[in-house]
Amino acid sequence: MKTAPHTEHELDVVLDRKETLADDVVRLTLRHPDGLPLPAWEPGAHLDLVLDNGLTRQYSLCGDPRDSSVLQVAVLREEDGRGGSRYVHDGLPEGRRLRIRGPRNHFPLVEAKSLLFIAGGIGITPILPMIERVAASGGEWRLVYGGRTRSSMAFREELETRYPGRVEIQPQDERGLLDLPALLAEDETDADTAIYCCGPEGLLAAVEELCAKRPSGSVHVERFAPKEGTDGGPRAAFEVELARTGTVLEVPAVRSILDVVEESGGSVLSSCREGTCGTCETAVLSGTPDHRDSLLTDEERDAGDTMMICVSRSRTPRLVLDL
């Protein structure tokens, strides 16, 4: 049985440096306040920032996994967001202490004969260390990177300089939207190429639709907002049994498992509470989950041995959880 990965680290760090990378994009360089090594991570991992304004936000790590002295994230200012990015841009000065949780990785880099990376805007951040890893190993890869304008595309100049001939930059104001049908028109049975995509929901949904007939496990996307339609379907009450204590709790139709467990005094790590970050992933010992997250693959959903208890429900009268 798969053991659900919980957050391994929660610690305070110092914002050592804050620098502008592109229009409305800043990079944060975080260090341990005592100069100690920071948690190890692999390409595709993300980090929780616990902000002073009461918000917790997830950002992809975009630095060098080999450098344990710092952790780096890049943050896009979103005026229509819930306030996290505005706080990072306007209310988080260099030298400030803040808490981090993680890293955790639901977007791991797999071995493949070749890799096609598709990035939209700030979606370049988790892909950057992947490219560095594959390039260092001599692997075959290609990046297609779209954005609103050249000046809005973080790491653009670095990518063009370091990897000539491998990177295709497509600003929307110059070339329009990415021509995904043409880009993905290769053999739909190709099992040798892994496709990685991160960016706005429209891009992710289009890639998934166009790649629907490709071999299972060959397409990888990462979301930081819930996938449309994931929380649909009937909502009925059910029971959860907490295996470690034998406690049985009723989960009403209008409440989440996470809410009910917390209300009973149980301690569960959580962050986004919308099925996108993976912090509350919990092992299922018995019963059939009704998956409503935006993280698990089809294979993981079919296995039914883990679930995100902040949004997912049950298809059986009772679930037994490893809590």
Side-chain angles (χ1 to χ4, degrees):
M1 172 174 293
K2 174 183 175 181
T3 301
H6 293 291
T7 301
E8 297 179 359
H9 304 277
E10 181 168 351
L11 69 155
D12 288 338
V13 295
V14 173
L15 176 53
D16 184 65
R17 188 179 181 191
K18 180 178 175 179
E19 56 191 314
T20 299
L21 295 180
D23 294 346
D24 295 325
V25 179
V26 294
R27 176 166 57 193
L28 310 183
T29 298
L30 310 170
R31 294 186 183 273
H32 193 284
D34 298 322
L36 299 176
L38 291 170
W41 60 281
E42 290 293 314
H46 68 267
L47 194 70
D48 287 356
L49 297 188
V50 183
L51 306 174
D52 288 347
N53 62 352
L55 298 175
T56 300
R57 292 292 180 265
Q58 294 78 42
Y59 298 108
S60 296
L61 287 160
C62 58
D64 183 351
R66 298 167 299 181
D67 184 359
S68 63
S69 68
V70 299
L71 293 171
Q72 293 183 321
V73 298
V75 180
L76 170 68
R77 182 187 183 97
E78 298 183 86
E79 292 295 347
D80 297 329
R82 293 172 294 173
S85 67
R86 293 196 301 275
Y87 176 79
V88 168
H89 277 251
D90 301 335
L92 193 61
E94 291 183 351
R96 174 71 58 85
R97 281 200 181 205
L98 67 156
R99 176 144 292 207
I100 61 171
R101 297 181 185 136
R104 65 185 65 87
N105 198 342
H106 289 273
F107 194 45
L109 181 63
V110 300
E111 291 187 7
K113 186 174 181 179
S114 65
L115 293 107
L116 171 60
F117 298 105
I118 305 172
I122 198 63
I124 190 63
T125 51
I127 288 175
L128 190 69
M130 292 184 181
I131 288 173
E132 293 175 351
R133 174 70 59 84
V134 175
S137 68
E140 182 65 30
W141 63 275
R142 174 189 177 196
L143 167 67
V144 178
Y145 179 14
R148 292 181 293 103
T149 64
R150 287 183 182 274
S151 62
S152 72
M153 300 171 72
F155 305 106
R156 174 183 58 82
E157 293 182 357
E158 174 184 337
L159 286 163
E160 289 180 312
T161 301
R162 292 183 63 182
Y163 308 114
R166 297 272 189 174
V167 176
E168 186 175 343
I169 302 295
Q170 295 194 23
Q172 184 178 342
D173 64 338
E174 298 176 20
R175 303 183 57 179
L177 295 173
L178 298 179
D179 187 355
L180 295 175
L183 179 62
L184 299 170
E186 300 173 4
D187 184 0
E188 291 180 341
T189 65
D190 179 16
D192 293 330
T193 299
I195 298 172
Y196 277 80
C197 180
C198 188
E201 177 58 30
L203 173 66
L204 303 181
V207 168
E208 288 180 323
E209 181 178 357
L210 290 165
C211 294
K213 295 182 180 180
R214 287 180 178 265
S216 176
S218 64
V219 181
H220 309 263
V221 302
E222 180 166 56
R223 288 178 164 89
F224 284 103
K227 184 178 180 180
E228 185 175 350
T230 53
D231 198 25
R235 300 180 68 89
F238 58 94
E239 293 180 339
V240 292
E241 179 181 337
L242 311 185
R244 299 178 193 178
T245 63
T247 304
V248 176
L249 303 171
E250 181 175 349
V251 181
V254 295
R255 304 287 304 283
S256 71
I257 299 174
L258 177 60
D259 288 339
V260 171
V261 171
E262 289 181 333
E263 190 175 82
S264 74
S267 178
V268 182
L269 294 169
S270 66
S271 182
C272 74
R273 307 183 84 93
E274 59 183 13
T276 59
C277 74
T279 308
C280 70
E281 186 173 2
T282 301
V284 179
L285 305 181
S286 179
T288 304
D290 177 7
H291 295 293
R292 303 191 180 196
D293 65 276
S294 300
L295 272 171
L296 296 177
T297 65
D298 290 341
E299 291 78 8
E300 290 169 332
R301 289 168 181 262
D302 291 342
D305 57 8
T306 187
M307 68 186 297
M308 309 303 164
I309 63 172
C310 64
V311 291
S312 295
R313 303 189 65 77
S314 181
R315 298 186 183 277
T316 49
R318 178 179 289 192
L319 288 174
V320 182
L321 303 179
D322 186 18
L323 290 174

